[in-house]
Amino acid sequence: MSALSYICGYGYGSNSDDSDCEIVPRGYKRPKLPTPDLSKVTVIPVCEEHLDDPKQHDGRTRTFPHVRGNWATFVYIKYSDEEGLFELVNNLQSAVVKILDKEPCQRCEDFHISLSKTAVLKYHFISPFTTSLQEALTGLKRINLSFDSVKVYCNDENTRTFIALKVDYSSNKSLQEITSKVDEILDECSLPTFYEDPSFHMSILWVNGNKKRELEDIVENLNDIVAQEIGKSLQNVIVNRVHCRSGNKLFQFSLQ
């Protein structure tokens, strides 16, 4: 019996058709209603619209809209000596702020080198995707990572400009080998592969909008600062893991 049937069928006496009023004897206590069985009642969840507010993210704008069930996924490696970079980053940040007339210049939240573009996966594709990555990366050797210069990049949407450290020739060759393996998996999943001629770099600072022209005017000065820190705050590091982040899930794959 449905919950509605319980309510409609409840009443004292069986001759209720004779009167609109129900007469209850003195001292009579109504019995408790039995708990209705709602197991077959369909419940439709309410989907809340996600509103992106750049003010909550230092003015950053999403490059693609938030959609429930879509997991933003990308492959990258981390720079393990982040604390050692602080002095270099502070010096570069001061130089950039002077040129941009006090326009906000933010430090990147983490220092990493992308090995893929950001792709969108459905939840049930995450496990086979990461399993394929594990198989593809098995046997690859760890990398001696080092940098040689500063380069300015602007994202495809022209919403942010980045000041980055570009990896040197030797590191570039090693990263290219890993990226080719990642591209094979992406291609099998009909997802966008990495850039045809990738420029591997580690972004350390960013500003809103397209400020590439203004920042490229001072690249020589920024390179002078970097040259003074190579071997001191800017150390070579050994990379022995590749990371993949999908939404709030993090996967790590060991290199030999």
Side-chain angles (χ1 to χ4, degrees):
M1 183 180 290
S2 68
L4 184 59
S5 298
Y6 276 119
I7 296 172
C8 293
Y10 177 69
Y12 175 75
S14 58
N15 298 322
S16 58
D17 291 340
D18 298 333
S19 173
D20 292 335
C21 298
E22 182 183 351
I23 301 174
V24 180
R26 185 183 297 276
Y28 176 78
K29 293 184 178 180
R30 293 182 185 274
K32 284 187 175 182
L33 282 171
T35 303
D37 180 10
L38 302 179
S39 61
K40 297 183 180 181
V41 177
T42 301
V43 180
I44 301 176
V46 177
C47 296
E48 297 180 359
E49 182 182 2
H50 182 89
L51 299 177
D52 182 42
D53 185 2
K55 294 180 181 178
Q56 297 181 3
H57 309 286
D58 298 316
R60 288 174 291 178
T61 303
R62 281 183 175 273
T63 55
F64 51 86
H66 171 86
V67 177
R68 188 181 296 274
N70 285 353
W71 293 62
T73 304
F74 74 108
V75 183
Y76 63 100
I77 60 174
K78 287 182 65 66
Y79 184 76
S80 58
D81 187 26
E82 292 191 351
E83 291 186 4
L85 279 180
F86 287 166
E87 183 176 352
L88 171 61
V89 173
N90 288 338
N91 292 338
L92 293 175
Q93 187 175 27
S94 298
V96 170
V97 169
K98 290 179 181 178
I99 293 298
L100 296 182
D101 194 22
K102 299 182 180 180
E103 184 170 334
C105 175
Q106 307 288 345
R107 178 184 297 174
C108 292
E109 294 177 356
D110 66 284
F111 300 139
H112 69 271
I113 299 174
S114 295
L115 301 179
S116 76
K117 296 179 181 178
T118 299
V120 175
L121 288 179
K122 295 296 184 182
Y123 181 79
H124 56 282
F125 285 136
I126 296 176
S127 180
F129 178 78
T130 52
T131 299
S132 295
L133 272 180
Q134 175 70 70
E135 295 173 354
L137 298 177
T138 297
L140 294 185
K141 295 182 179 180
R142 60 185 61 188
I143 301 170
N144 185 7
L145 180 66
S146 54
F147 305 91
D148 61 8
S149 60
V150 173
K151 192 165 183 178
V152 178
Y153 299 85
C154 189
N155 63 4
D156 295 336
E157 298 76 21
N158 288 317
T159 57
R160 283 202 288 172
T161 306
F162 298 88
I163 296 93
L165 298 175
K166 192 171 179 294
V167 304
D168 65 7
Y169 177 78
S170 177
S171 301
N172 192 84
K173 288 184 64 177
S174 299
L175 294 175
Q176 183 68 66
E177 182 180 4
I178 297 176
T179 299
S180 64
K181 297 290 186 180
V182 176
D183 276 349
E184 291 176 7
I185 307 303
L186 292 168
D187 191 50
E188 289 176 4
C189 298
S190 298
L191 294 171
T193 55
F194 208 34
Y195 301 99
E196 185 175 348
D197 185 20
S199 175
F200 295 106
H201 61 275
M202 181 172 71
S203 296
I204 55 178
L205 297 167
W206 63 271
V207 296
N208 278 317
N210 188 341
K211 300 293 190 300
K212 189 173 182 179
R213 181 180 58 79
E214 295 93 322
L215 292 174
E216 284 183 339
D217 287 341
I218 63 165
V219 163
E220 187 174 345
N221 294 338
L222 299 180
N223 274 322
D224 288 341
I225 296 174
V226 170
Q228 296 173 12
E229 295 299 324
I230 291 179
K232 295 189 295 183
S233 62
L234 186 59
Q235 299 281 347
N236 292 1
V237 298
I238 300 298
V239 176
N240 54 18
R241 288 188 182 90
V242 174
H243 295 73
C244 175
R245 181 175 292 279
S246 186
N248 59 1
K249 296 180 179 294
L250 178 63
F251 304 87
Q252 298 182 12
F253 310 100
S254 296
L255 301 175
Q256 292 184 346

